[in-house]
């Protein structure tokens, strides 16, 4: 067996030489036989003829010799592959069309699968990730990972697991040398690194003493920050650094191999508790099973402890809510998973359309080769070898298309990096072994599937009828018309499904972008900075900073006004419960509202219209009567639309002095869409309590807002930065953003959805139009004689072209009807992504159907226009 394999390999390397050696050997045997016959007295010419006859069929003998020298399967594969390459060289247009179609389909599928692999399939880069779990609250509608201090107290002393809590990521100020830098801080509990299974490069992680109220301030540096700011100096461990304006003891440096789930520069103790911010749903609790413990044991313990938590806090949660655990890597990036599955389904539809298109192309090519197939069968070739030959041609095409698809997929992956980064995806996208194997498998499946159509067609060849065909009748292969048209009908219908989905998402994006903003963001630039800093722990210092910096900014040439606010439009705002007493109510009413502190110039800088009452002035100081301004939504929902009432608090009652227009913001109180006007209370920064400042600055960084006479530029940015530095040289600017940037950020998900599905729909439409073009082009070729005769008998060129175009338009119309039904069923999966438009929006269905038929008409018209050059006399002279 080994010798035979070696022989095949040698034959593959030098097949021409092997054939030449066989020819020489056979000629030698024939010549020996001829000489023997001549010695017996036979004439030379007759001896030559008898020797050839006695030796038999040379080709068959060579075939038997090759089988004896090698493995028949491998040998046949080599011959079929060589023949397939020769056939493709003879039809470069067909080969290019198939390879390009395959490259597009396989390329986008490869790219999307790489994202699926990174987010949903690939193992986390932590030791034994299968033993890592998130604690979740299970509702009938789904599970959430947000937990609070009560859950932490109930779960922290588990018997079957070790547990850690994770807080949010915040921007803070880090002093290194004589400069301050804006860095990303994440707060985590003790055991965070050990639960993940991550060793420390230097030092240790937080201990329990540091992770409790009143504990010493400590910090763990990330490996990149340690190298960047501290030159990888191991002696930094045990020393203090200035973080958030206070000294923090460096207790450790994370491992160089540690890949956090989000961009993090350093970690500080979370100190979870039932008081303060921990009373809300602000924690993520993760756990690792102890050695020898099963998932079922831990699940039972978490559920039992969770029930005790709900009972102890007398929670108002419905009784069907329970605490549970879920695989750590399965609960991450839940918002992206839904979109990924929709995108994967979309590229799957594109792949099906591509396969259908390729099958139609191969059927058309198979029709042109009917005489070849019939001749091969008539000469003794069996159906098995013929089908294997056609399948080999498909696989050769598939491998070429797969290679091109890999190159295209690599390029698409680079574009997808930015998209998934918007969802906080931290995994690396790459063409690893899993993706490569999946691409190879996809290529082979698609190749074989697409090759079945011509193989089945070849199996049904009527040898006698095929050999009797001649002229133009042999081109068509009329028996395959119904199959090819059915395939084109299917791809047109599937393309309409994607077109309708893309249309709905595009209409959603247009609706959101055209919402009334409630302000004028033209020529406005905002700069944010972190005030979670010990130097700004009281109202007096904060307002001095605001006053000094805005006065300096107003002196910058071209600046028309400057203000400071905790939040900008299009952002998600701080929300809380407040007690409202309107003029018509006798009792206070607790309501939920968004809150924003602002300096008096905020409304004029953003040009937010005043609807009733007055705005803040410099006279609304810390020593004057407490006041607030509310927006129209607040007044409508809680004040019956009138300017009257108070916010009643423990410290003071604040009079509502004005009503301003609504501005668009990301919802925090309700899930009504990515942008919506929520009830808002504006506080003058001078009257915002110190405790509220500290709480707000824990989660948010305020913004300096500057309106200029012209478009913002680098000179304005430098002026803002210098104005802040003149008041506090150790207060770095985190980032500069325009209000357009804010809107784009708020709608980034919707924009990505529309672009991605729109791209898939356009690709599907292009592939479908290639199919329509092919059907009409083939029909024109088949009916050329008919059209010539009709023109000779007096038919107009317009009527002939109209009849030639009709099959494509009819197919498109039927596809629109079928596709409309499929779309009506399919678009329900987009319901959670649509705002301002319904899934069964009639306008979208009609517009996409009309567009599909219109483009199909154009694709049909292009090959039909070739009839303009048709001469009836030349057609009649044929045959």
């Amino acid at each position: 067996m080994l010798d035979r394999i070696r022989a095949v390999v040698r034959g593959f390397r030098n097949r021409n030489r092997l054939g030449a050696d066989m020819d020489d050997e056979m000629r030698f045997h024939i010549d020996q036989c001829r000489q023997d016959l001549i010695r017996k007295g036979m004439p030379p010419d007759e001896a030559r003829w008898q020797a050839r006859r006695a030796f038999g069929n040379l080709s068959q003998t060579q075939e038997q010799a090759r089988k004896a020298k090698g493995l028949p399967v491998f040998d046949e594969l080599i011959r079929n592959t060589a023949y397939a390459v020769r056939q493709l060289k003879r039809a470069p247009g067909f080969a290019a069309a198939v390879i390009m179609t395959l490259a597009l389909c396989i390329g986008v599928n490869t790219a999307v699968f790489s994202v699926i692999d990174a987010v949903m399939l690939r193992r986390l880069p932590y030791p034994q990730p299968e033993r890592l779990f998130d604690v979740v609250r299970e509702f009938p509608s789904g599970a959430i990972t947000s937990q609070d201090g009560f859950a932490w107290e109930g779960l922290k002393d588990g018997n079957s697991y070790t547990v850690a809590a994770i807080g949010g990521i915040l921007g803070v100020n880090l002093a290194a040398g004589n400069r301050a830098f804006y860095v990303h801080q994440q707060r985590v509990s003790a055991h965070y690194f050990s639960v993940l299974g991550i060793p420390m490069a230097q030092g240790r992680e937080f201990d329990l003493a540091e992770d409790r109220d009143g504990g010493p301030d400590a910090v763990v540096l990330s490996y990149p920050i340690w190298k960047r700011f501290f030159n990888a100096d191991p002696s930094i461990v045990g020393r203090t650094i200035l973080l958030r304006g206070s000294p923090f003891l460096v207790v450790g440096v994370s491992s160089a191999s540690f890949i956090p789930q989000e961009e993090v520069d350093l970690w500080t103790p979370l100190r979870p508790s039932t008081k303060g911010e921990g009373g809300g749903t602000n924690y993520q609790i993760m756990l690792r099973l102890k050695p020898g413990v099963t998932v079922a044991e831990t699940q039972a313990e978490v559920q039992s402890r969770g029930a005790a938590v709900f009972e102890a806090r007398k929670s108002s949660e419905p009784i069907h809510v329970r605490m549970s655990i879920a695989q750590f890597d399965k609960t991450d990036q839940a918002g992206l998973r839904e979109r990924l599955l929709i995108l994967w389904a979309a590229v799957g539809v594109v792949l099906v359309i591509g396969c259908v298109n390729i099958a139609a192309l191969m059927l058309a090519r198979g029709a042109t080769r009917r005489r070849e197939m019939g001749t091969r069968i008539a000469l003794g070739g069996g159906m098995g070898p013929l089908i294997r030959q056609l399948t080999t041609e498909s696989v050769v095409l598939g491998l070429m298309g797969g290679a091109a698809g890999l190159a295209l997929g690599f390029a698409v992956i680079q574009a997808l990096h930015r998209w998934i980064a918007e969802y906080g995806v931290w995994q690396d996208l790459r063409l690893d072994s899993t993706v490569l194997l999946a691409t190879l498998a996809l290529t082979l499946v698609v190749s074989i599937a697409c090759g079945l159509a011509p193989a089945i067609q070849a199996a049904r060849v009527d040898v006698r009828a095929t050999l009797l065909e001649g002229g133009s009748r042999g081109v068509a292969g009329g028996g395959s018309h119904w199959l090819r048209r059915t395939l084109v009908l299917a791809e047109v219908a599937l393309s309409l499904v994607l077109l309708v989905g893309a249309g709905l998402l595009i209409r959603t994006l247009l609706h959101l972008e055209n919402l009334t903003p409630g302000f004028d963001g033209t020529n406005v630039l905002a700069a944010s900075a972190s005030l979670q800093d010990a130097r700004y722990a009281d109202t007096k210092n904060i307002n001095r900073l605001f006053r000094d910096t805005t006065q300096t900014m107003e002196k910058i040439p071209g600046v028309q006004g400057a203000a400071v606010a905790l939040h900008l439009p299009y952002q998600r705002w701080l929300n809380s419960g407040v007690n409202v007493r309107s003029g018509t109510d006798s009792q206070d009413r607790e309501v939920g509202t968004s809150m924003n502190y602002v300096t008096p110039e905020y409304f004029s800088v953003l040009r937010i219209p005043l609807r009733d009452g007055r705005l803040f002035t410099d006279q609304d100081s810390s020593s004057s009567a407490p006041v607030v301004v509310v927006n129209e939504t607040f007044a409508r929902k809680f004040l019956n639309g009138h300017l009257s009432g108070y916010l009643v608090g423990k410290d003071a009652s604040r009079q509502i002095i004005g009503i301003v227009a609504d501005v668009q913001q990301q919802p925090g109180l309700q899930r009504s869409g990515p942008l919506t006007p929520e009830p808002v209370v504006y506080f003058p920064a001078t009257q915002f309590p110190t405790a509220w400042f500290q709480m707000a600055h824990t989660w948010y960084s305020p913004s300096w807002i500057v309106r200029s006479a012209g478009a913002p530029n680098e000179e304005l940015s430098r002026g803002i930065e210098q104005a802040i530095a003149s008041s506090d040289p150790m207060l770095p600017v985190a980032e500069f953003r325009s209000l357009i940037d804010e809107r784009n950020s708020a709608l980034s998900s919707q924009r990505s959805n529309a672009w991605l599905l729109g791209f898939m729909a356009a690709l599907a439409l292009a592939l479908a139009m290639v199919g329509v073009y092919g059907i009409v082009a083939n029909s024109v070729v088949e009916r050329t004689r008919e059209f010539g005769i009709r023109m000779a008998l007096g038919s107009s060129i317009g009527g002939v072209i109209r009849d030639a175009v009709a099959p494509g338009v009819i197919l498109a119309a039927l596809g629109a009807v079928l596709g409309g039904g499929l779309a009506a069923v399919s678009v329900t999966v987009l319901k959670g992504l649509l705002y301002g438009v319904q899934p069964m929006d009639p306008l979208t269905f009609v517009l996409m159907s009309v567009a599909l038929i219109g483009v199909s008409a154009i694709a049909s018209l292009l090959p039909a226009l070739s009839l303009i050059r048709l001469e009836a006399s030349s057609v009649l002279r044929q045959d």
Side-chain angles (χ1 to χ4, degrees):
M1 176 66 72
L2 185 60
D3 291 338
R4 298 174 71 186
I5 293 176
R6 289 172 177 169
V8 171
V9 173
R10 287 194 300 270
F12 180 75
R13 290 176 177 174
N14 197 349
R15 188 168 184 81
N16 292 333
R17 180 177 177 181
L18 178 61
D21 291 344
M22 286 185 180
D23 290 341
D24 292 342
E25 184 176 355
M26 290 177 185
R27 281 195 294 270
F28 171 77
H29 288 293
I30 292 173
D31 188 61
Q32 289 295 317
C33 181
R34 180 183 63 82
Q35 292 180 10
D36 290 342
L37 292 174
I38 291 174
R39 281 195 295 268
K40 292 178 180 180
M42 186 176 292
D45 292 340
E46 184 178 355
R48 183 182 301 105
W49 181 82
Q50 287 291 347
R52 294 290 299 271
R53 183 179 180 184
F55 198 83
N57 187 291
L58 288 178
S59 299
Q60 185 175 5
T61 304
Q62 283 186 341
E63 185 70 21
Q64 293 174 352
R66 288 192 182 97
K67 290 182 179 180
K69 289 178 176 289
L71 292 176
V73 174
F74 290 163
D75 195 49
E76 182 183 20
L77 178 61
I78 294 170
R79 287 185 287 107
N80 286 346
T81 301
Y83 183 76
V85 172
R86 291 197 301 272
Q87 286 294 319
L88 295 178
K89 287 181 178 179
R90 293 173 184 171
F94 163 77
V98 173
I99 291 172
M100 289 175 61
T101 302
L102 277 172
L104 287 171
C105 297
I106 292 176
V108 296
N109 272 272
T110 298
V112 172
F113 180 76
S114 70
V115 182
I116 296 284
D117 174 58
V119 176
M120 302 173 63
L121 304 180
R122 192 186 305 162
R123 284 169 58 92
L124 292 172
Y126 309 132
Q128 295 183 301
E130 69 280 359
R131 299 185 69 79
L132 275 173
F133 291 86
D134 266 318
V135 178
V136 300
R137 283 186 292 163
E138 289 187 342
F139 295 83
S141 58
I144 61 173
T145 58
S146 295
Q147 303 293 346
D148 57 24
F150 293 96
W152 170 256
E153 292 296 329
L155 296 172
K156 66 178 182 179
D157 298 319
N159 298 316
S160 60
Y161 56 82
T162 54
V163 65
I166 308 171
I169 296 177
L170 312 167
V172 296
N173 305 320
L174 168 67
N178 297 321
R179 294 185 59 191
F181 300 90
Y182 182 84
V183 296
H184 295 93
Q185 162 206 266
Q186 184 175 40
R187 294 167 303 149
V188 297
S189 71
H191 309 309
Y192 167 73
F193 293 96
S194 58
V195 167
L196 284 177
I198 301 300
M200 306 300 291
Q202 300 286 332
R204 59 172 176 84
E205 62 178 323
F206 306 124
D207 58 30
L208 294 176
E210 293 158 342
D211 191 37
R212 67 167 185 243
D213 287 338
D217 288 332
V219 61
V220 171
L221 302 175
S222 69
Y223 194 89
I225 285 293
W226 178 51
K227 290 186 64 178
R228 177 184 171 189
F229 291 151
F230 304 103
N231 298 318
D233 182 5
S235 67
I236 192 67
V237 176
R239 289 160 45 191
T240 59
I241 61 174
L242 200 63
L243 180 68
R244 303 190 325 221
S246 299
F248 274 69
L249 178 68
V250 179
V251 298
V253 178
S254 69
S255 170
S257 61
F258 177 40
I259 304 175
Q261 292 174 274
E262 297 181 71
E263 183 182 358
V264 181
D265 297 316
L266 48 84
W267 295 264
T268 57
L270 176 60
R271 297 166 182 165
S273 70
T274 58
K275 299 178 182 179
E277 59 174 304
T281 55
N282 298 319
Y283 302 149
Q284 176 186 352
I285 299 177
M286 59 181 294
L287 56 84
R288 177 179 286 274
L289 275 57
K290 291 182 178 179
V293 176
T294 66
V295 175
E297 292 171 343
T298 302
Q299 184 76 274
E301 182 178 358
V302 169
Q303 290 178 357
S304 174
R305 288 176 175 268
V309 167
F310 292 132
E311 178 65 24
R313 65 184 292 189
K314 302 188 184 305
S315 171
S316 60
E317 303 274 12
I319 194 67
H320 49 261
V321 178
R322 68 172 185 172
M323 205 82 76
S324 183
I325 61 174
Q327 199 71 46
F328 184 65
D329 58 340
K330 300 302 181 186
T331 56
D332 189 36
Q333 300 150 355
L336 178 59
R337 292 176 189 276
E338 178 187 5
R339 289 168 171 79
L340 272 180
L341 293 176
I342 293 174
L343 180 60
W344 204 7
V347 298
V349 172
V350 171
L351 178 63
V352 171
I353 293 174
C355 291
V356 170
N357 208 12
I358 293 170
L361 288 172
M362 288 190 166
L363 279 173
R365 171 147 174 85
T368 65
R369 299 174 64 187
R370 293 180 69 205
R371 290 181 61 83
E372 173 196 343
M373 302 302 166
T375 302
R376 291 181 61 172
I377 295 174
L379 292 176
M383 289 305 305
L386 185 59
I387 291 176
R388 289 195 294 273
Q389 173 63 52
L390 293 173
T391 304
T392 302
E393 292 182 18
S394 299
V395 172
V396 169
L397 276 171
L399 292 176
M400 292 179 179
L406 272 179
L408 178 63
F410 179 80
V412 176
I413 284 174
Q414 309 311 310
L416 287 178
H417 266 293
R418 181 177 178 182
W419 175 62
I420 64 170
E422 296 172 354
Y423 292 88
V425 173
W426 51 276
Q427 295 96 326
D428 182 36
L429 298 188
R430 59 178 184 268
L431 291 174
D432 58 13
S433 58
T434 302
V435 177
L436 292 175
L437 287 175
T439 302
L440 177 61
L442 180 64
T443 300
L444 293 177
V445 168
V446 169
S447 303
I448 295 173
C450 292
L452 287 178
I456 294 173
Q457 185 183 41
R460 296 178 178 177
V461 168
D462 185 339
V463 177
R464 183 175 180 276
T466 299
L467 294 179
L468 289 176
E469 286 180 348
S472 62
R473 295 181 60 199
V475 175
S480 66
H481 283 181
W482 68 270
L483 180 56
R484 288 158 56 193
R485 287 176 178 171
T486 301
L487 291 175
V488 172
L489 176 65
E491 61 180 339
V492 170
L494 289 174
S495 66
L496 182 63
V497 174
L498 292 184
L499 283 172
V500 170
L504 291 172
L505 292 178
I506 291 172
R507 290 202 61 200
T508 291
L509 179 61
L510 293 176
H511 164 76
L512 294 171
E513 287 186 336
N514 291 323
L515 289 173
T516 302
F519 66 96
D520 180 5
T522 307
N523 299 334
V524 173
L525 183 64
S528 61
S530 173
L531 294 187
Q532 187 188 6
D533 196 297
R535 295 168 300 155
Y536 301 104
D538 60 66
T539 302
K540 184 178 180 180
N541 289 342
I542 293 172
N543 280 287
R544 182 189 299 114
L545 174 71
F546 292 167
R547 183 183 63 252
D548 294 345
T549 52
T550 54
Q551 289 177 354
T552 305
M553 291 175 189
E554 289 172 348
K555 298 176 183 178
I556 299 174
V559 169
Q560 297 176 341
V564 183
L566 180 62
H567 301 295
L568 296 172
Y570 300 126
Q571 293 180 343
R572 183 177 179 180
W573 292 13
L574 175 69
N575 57 75
S576 180
V578 297
N579 292 319
V580 180
R581 182 183 300 166
S582 69
T584 58
D585 292 338
S586 58
Q587 293 183 341
D588 301 340
R589 182 161 50 130
E590 184 175 0
V591 300
T593 183
S594 294
M595 300 193 299
N596 194 5
Y597 71 70
V598 299
T599 58
E601 299 81 10
Y602 174 81
F603 300 103
S604 62
V605 170
L606 289 184
R607 298 176 181 171
I608 298 175
L610 175 66
R611 301 305 190 196
D612 199 359
R614 71 174 180 87
L615 301 174
F616 302 137
T617 66
D618 291 336
Q619 282 67 48
D620 296 312
S621 63
S622 58
S623 58
S624 63
V627 294
V628 293
V629 169
V630 299
N631 70 341
E632 291 177 294
T633 298
F634 187 100
R636 183 176 60 254
K637 294 184 68 172
F638 308 133
L639 304 177
N640 298 318
H642 303 297
L643 178 59
S644 62
Y646 294 83
L647 293 190
V648 181
K650 295 179 181 180
D651 56 341
S653 293
R654 303 171 184 271
Q655 183 183 3
I656 300 173
I657 62 170
I659 300 175
V660 296
D662 293 333
V663 299
Q664 297 295 333
Q665 63 188 88
Q666 296 182 47
L669 299 171
Q670 55 184 345
R671 293 300 174 203
S672 56
L675 290 177
T676 186
E678 290 198 314
V680 173
V681 176
Y682 294 94
F683 296 81
T686 52
Q687 295 181 356
F688 208 60
T690 296
W692 291 14
F693 266 129
Q694 293 178 351
M695 181 267 293
H697 292 164
T698 300
W699 293 100
Y700 301 100
S701 296
S703 295
W704 280 255
I705 309 163
V706 177
R707 176 177 291 279
S708 60
N713 51 37
E714 292 186 8
E715 185 177 350
L716 178 61
S717 301
R718 286 195 298 270
I720 294 173
E721 196 165 18
Q722 290 170 3
I724 295 176
S726 66
S727 180
D728 183 353
M730 299 301 287
L731 182 62
V733 173
E735 62 177 344
F736 291 95
R737 293 174 72 84
S738 70
L739 274 300
I740 298 300
D741 293 333
E742 290 293 343
R743 188 191 67 178
N744 291 341
S745 177
L747 299 181
S748 61
S749 177
Q750 286 68 37
R751 184 171 290 101
S752 297
N753 294 339
W755 275 103
L756 286 172
L757 195 57
F759 173 77
M760 296 302 165
L763 181 57
L765 179 62
L767 293 174
M769 292 309 100
V770 170
V772 172
Y773 178 93
I775 285 290
V776 175
N778 192 69
S779 175
V780 168
V781 172
E782 291 178 5
R783 300 174 64 188
T784 297
R785 190 168 184 273
E786 172 198 338
F787 291 143
I789 294 173
R790 288 175 57 183
M791 292 172 63
L793 294 177
S795 294
S796 66
I797 185 63
V800 170
I801 291 177
R802 183 175 60 251
D803 289 347
V805 170
V809 176
I810 292 173
L811 276 176
L814 292 175
V817 173
L818 178 60
L822 293 175
V825 176
S826 303
V827 294
T828 55
V829 302
L830 299 176
K831 186 175 181 179
L833 305 178
L834 303 180
Y835 304 98
V837 61
Q838 296 299 317
M840 294 299 296
D841 178 55
L843 180 60
T844 303
F845 275 76
V846 172
L847 287 177
M848 293 300 105
S849 299
V850 171
L852 177 67
I853 295 174
V855 175
S856 299
I858 295 174
S860 303
L861 181 62
L862 293 177
L865 290 176
S866 63
L867 294 173
I868 296 176
R869 301 188 301 271
L870 181 64
E871 296 182 4
S873 59
S874 64
V875 173
L876 295 177
R877 284 195 297 267
Q878 293 179 1
D879 298 337

